[in-house]
Amino acid sequence: MSEKNIHLKIITPEKIVYENDVDAIYAQGTAGSFGILPNHIPFMSVLAIGTAKAEKGSETQNFSVMGGAFQFKNNEAVILTEAAELGGDIDTARAQLAKERAEAIIGSSENAKDIKLANNALARAMARLKAASKQK
């Protein structure tokens, strides 16, 4: 790896979802969105449920990321998350159904716990749909 690249790994408990050298990384932290370029100072962030993007030349790879942690040091970046998917691998019909189910629960339930769980499910579905739509 040259100093002009970042080595990115996206890891879930089950597998390494992505590993490659990239030119730039963009993700959503709980304090806001951020971008990392080669030779950035060491950086850590708690990740929100959302999307991440890796750029290499003219190619872009989008991911849905279900929270977790981001660490960058010495041109090596690691995303540790419970779940992540490549944008091109996402089943958009399934994600759309999950979005609709969550919206129905939010609109009809008065139980605070159900609404909180549905809001979380909605955020996950929206992240999956966004990552899939940007991959096309």
Side-chain angles (χ1 to χ4, degrees):
M1 175 181 67
S2 74
E3 289 188 16
K4 295 181 181 180
N5 291 104
I6 299 167
H7 189 75
L8 171 63
K9 270 189 184 182
I10 300 177
I11 304 169
T12 69
E14 289 81 34
K15 63 182 180 177
I16 296 173
V17 174
Y18 183 82
E19 182 173 12
N20 208 342
D21 289 344
V22 299
D23 300 327
I25 303 165
Y26 302 93
Q28 297 173 333
T30 55
S33 297
F34 61 89
I36 300 290
L37 297 172
N39 301 316
H40 194 285
I41 62 170
F43 177 79
M44 290 186 75
S45 178
V46 175
L47 295 173
I49 294 173
T51 59
K53 176 171 72 169
E55 294 180 346
K56 184 173 185 176
S58 62
E59 295 181 19
T60 299
Q61 181 66 61
N62 290 286
F63 308 90
S64 64
V65 178
M66 303 306 152
F70 177 90
Q71 179 180 356
F72 178 82
K73 184 177 180 183
N74 297 328
N75 287 330
E76 293 187 1
V78 176
I79 292 176
L80 297 173
T81 181
E82 280 297 313
E85 289 178 273
L86 298 167
D89 293 345
I90 293 172
D91 181 343
T92 55
R94 184 172 161 235
Q96 183 64 37
L97 284 173
K99 175 184 177 279
E100 292 167 5
R101 279 193 307 269
E103 289 172 336
I105 293 169
I106 292 166
S108 66
S109 182
E110 294 182 14
N111 182 313
K113 184 177 179 183
D114 289 345
I115 292 171
K116 182 177 180 180
L117 291 171
N119 277 320
N120 214 3
L122 179 60
R124 290 191 307 272
M126 294 298 293
R128 295 179 77 226
L129 289 168
K130 185 177 179 182
S133 71
K134 289 186 172 190
Q135 201 56 43
K136 295 178 181 178

